[in-house]
Amino acid sequence: MTRALTRALPRAALHRSRLLRFLHDNALLHDTTPEGKVGEKLGDWLDFRQAIALHGVLYPEAGQAPLMPRRAGSMSAAALTEQFQATRAALEAAVTHSARPAPGLLSIALPVADLAPPAEAGKAPKPNVVFEPYRRYYGAHQRQMEKAVNRLRSQARAALTQGSPALQQLAVLDSSMDGILKEREARLLGSVLTMLEKRFAQLFKQHLKALADAEGATPDPTDPIDPNGATWQAAFGQTLQAALLAELDLRLQPVLGLVEALAADSATPE
């Protein structure tokens, strides 16, 4: 049963995450070619103390007790797989608004920014000010995803502590890597929002130009940068949602590894 359940889970090739493909396809990131091997890049990210701690997890001393205590009442492989799928579906629905928010999740509506120029003559609104509703929207979804994924990841580690010594070590390793890479992950995901803000600024400047060009003329309804801003703003909202879905996929990848490890171990004959 666990094999059938995990067969439907998404997989992402190393260096070809959905988020990287999104950035490349939307011309937000032009160079996505990986430089060097994963181990070499990881070594560049770790400081001295983190490297020692990670070494201790990977190479524990003989007879050393598990660093993560066993937790009673943890999920089976099948239950954890179903929980993974349910969490992923609920968070995707929260972004796309394809269903009512699941219990515990907030309904975070896609905003419509106020594109109207200010009353003061000769003063154009600043793009960063107009972008602010989108910033709050994106940040709210990020916090909701982080909370839900962290809870699911904790459940996965707890399930692994009930398994073989290899699974117990994997749970400890995942906890250690989570702590080591959390700050770097936050910076990288924050840079995606910065890229999106730059794209919005470009579109907004084109919008202001379209407003100026449309004064005294009949607007062209086929113009993608229409004077009212409805067309391009709706498209930008879809871009934000696509970015959030790609980020969700990235956040879930470590949990997916834990789920599949537990499923594979459960399917192995004793």
Side-chain angles (χ1 to χ4, degrees), residues 226-250:
D226 61 298
N228 294 327
T231 303
W232 71 266
Q233 195 176 10
F236 182 74
Q238 294 175 352
T239 300
L240 285 179
Q241 291 178 327
L244 286 168
L245 292 175
E247 179 176 324
L248 173 61
D249 184 77
L250 182 69

Side-chain angles (χ1 to χ4, degrees), residues 74-75 80 83 150-160:
S74 60
M75 294 182 178
L80 182 62
Q83 182 66 23
N150 284 347
R151 181 170 58 249
L152 180 64
R153 195 168 181 177
S154 178
Q155 292 172 332
R157 289 179 192 146
L160 263 62

Side-chain angles (χ1 to χ4, degrees), residues 141-151 182 251:
H141 272 292
Q142 284 184 313
R143 290 188 293 274
Q144 179 157 268
M145 285 191 298
E146 182 177 18
K147 182 178 179 181
V149 172
N150 284 347
R151 181 170 58 249
K182 185 178 294 292
R251 287 179 182 271

Side-chain angles (χ1 to χ4, degrees), residues 89-130:
L91 289 171
E92 287 177 346
V95 172
T96 61
H97 307 293
S98 57
R100 289 186 177 182
L105 296 182
L106 300 175
S107 177
I108 307 170
L110 183 65
V112 178
D114 184 7
L115 304 179
E120 299 87 345
K123 287 187 178 181
K126 295 181 179 180
N128 65 316
V129 174
V130 182

Side-chain angles (χ1 to χ4, degrees), residues 33-34 70 94 126 132 154 157 162 186 196 210 243 245:
T33 303
R70 292 175 178 263
K126 295 181 179 180
E132 189 58 32
S154 178
R157 289 179 192 146
Q162 300 299 308
L196 291 168
L245 292 175

Side-chain angles (χ1 to χ4, degrees), residues 17 23 26 57 76 99 123 140 166 182 184 197 202 220 242 256:
S17 71
L23 295 174
N26 286 272
V57 173
S76 66
K123 287 187 178 181
K182 185 178 294 292
R184 181 176 181 85
E197 183 175 359
Q202 294 171 351
D220 182 359
L256 175 59

Side-chain angles (χ1 to χ4, degrees), residues 254-268:
V255 191
L256 175 59
L258 301 181
V259 172
E260 290 190 330
L262 182 62
D265 185 78
S266 302
T268 302

